[in-house]
Amino acid sequence: DGGITQSPKYLFRKEGQNVTLSCEQNLNHDAMYWYRQDPGQGLRLIYYSQIVNDFQKGDIAEGYSVSREKKESFPLTVTSAQKNPTAFYLCASSIGPNYGYTFGSGTRLTVV
Amino acid sequence: QKEVEQDPGPLSVPEGAIVSLNCTYSNSAFQYFMWYRQYSRKGPELLMYTYSSGNKEDGRFTAQVDKSSKYISLFIRDSQPSDSATYLCAMSGSGNTPLVFGKGTRLSVIA
């Protein structure tokens, strides 16, 4: 079955560490997105990529980095520069910008 | 003024009730309108997709878009406890910009 897979489901990070969240899709979608979800804040866009080897900053890109070396994969690194990284992170993909998104099941990151 | 406004609720209704969920927006360039349903600790799933103005019906769900008022609605008929979730509206324009999401409305359907 086609879908989008995020791993791990839960992640704990010590302050000062970088961590990488995985996102893989087998839907042959060109566009991929990373969102952060906090209680009462809705979905906030971190980074997005509409084609391999190209990506753009979203509304809250500071302290995050991404790469898009393969169509199927769009990993997100949460760096030590991100001051408040504890959140629920969602990856999504779509055929294009005006089509519906398919979301992964999310990664819950906690700083300990 | 935020681009997309959505009442966060929570909204609590008895089983069988008709539910009305709404969003307003400020960007007149928006043409693609969607509703997503998100269960607790899960990713959102696409529920309804509408282009431009008008109505779209799918089973117990009806999506309405009124571009003149910059207002979209989702109606749920004969609501069930399994409809208890957070509902997010989302929209985009004709360019290559990503979807803009509302903050979501939390719905509880009580048996």
Side-chain angles (χ1 to χ4, degrees):
Chain A
D1 285 340
I4 183 165
T5 302
Q6 290 187 243
S7 62
K9 192 174 179 67
Y10 299 96
L11 187 58
F12 297 89
R13 188 195 94 171
K14 292 184 179 179
E15 285 194 22
Q17 284 183 335
N18 292 354
V19 290
T20 297
L21 283 58
S22 171
C23 179
E24 303 276 336
Q25 54 100 359
N26 60 3
L27 299 165
N28 200 32
H29 286 172
D30 286 317
M32 297 187 74
Y33 310 84
W34 274 106
Y35 286 89
R36 169 179 172 146
Q37 189 173 37
D38 298 280
Q41 296 279 349
L43 297 179
R44 292 187 289 169
L45 182 64
I46 304 172
Y47 269 99
Y48 66 102
S49 167
Q50 294 180 340
I51 197 167
V52 174
N53 292 323
D54 188 42
F55 49 83
Q56 286 77 40
K57 293 181 179 180
D59 301 317
I60 56 164
E62 185 175 350
Y64 300 97
S65 66
V66 293
S67 63
R68 187 86 186 277
E69 297 176 2
K70 298 186 299 181
K71 188 176 186 176
E72 303 80 23
S73 179
F74 192 40
L76 173 74
T77 296
V78 184
T79 74
S80 57
Q82 169 51 234
K83 299 303 180 190
N84 187 20
T86 295
F88 188 49
Y89 290 87
L90 287 161
C91 180
S93 69
S94 71
I95 296 171
N98 297 318
Y99 292 84
Y101 292 2
T102 300
F103 281 87
S105 55
T107 292
R108 187 164 299 277
L109 173 63
T110 303
V111 173
V112 296
Chain B
Q1 181 186 15
K2 294 189 186 300
E3 269 198 302
V4 179
E5 300 270 11
Q6 184 176 10
D7 186 337
L11 181 63
S12 184
V13 301
E15 183 177 357
I18 297 175
V19 176
S20 173
L21 304 167
N22 312 292
C23 288
T24 59
Y25 62 95
S26 58
N27 189 341
S28 57
F30 286 153
Q31 296 188 60
Y32 302 88
F33 303 93
M34 302 168 209
W35 286 94
Y36 288 80
R37 178 176 62 196
Q38 184 178 23
Y39 292 113
S40 181
R41 296 187 178 88
K42 302 290 185 185
E45 55 179 331
L46 181 64
L47 202 56
M48 299 290 280
Y49 178 102
T50 308
Y51 171 69
S52 194
S53 286
N55 295 358
K56 183 174 183 178
E57 187 173 322
D58 184 1
R60 296 184 296 111
F61 299 89
T62 299
Q64 287 186 351
V65 175
D66 182 349
K67 290 188 70 179
S68 62
S69 302
K70 298 190 180 67
Y71 188 87
I72 70 170
S73 302
L74 177 70
F75 297 96
I76 307 175
R77 290 182 299 280
D78 188 25
S79 56
Q80 303 295 310
S82 59
D83 295 326
S84 298
T86 296
Y87 290 81
L88 301 120
C89 63
M91 49 200 78
S92 68
S94 57
N96 288 331
T97 54
L99 288 176
V100 179
F101 284 84
K103 291 188 175 183
T105 299
R106 191 171 168 186
L107 171 68
S108 293
V109 180
I110 310 302

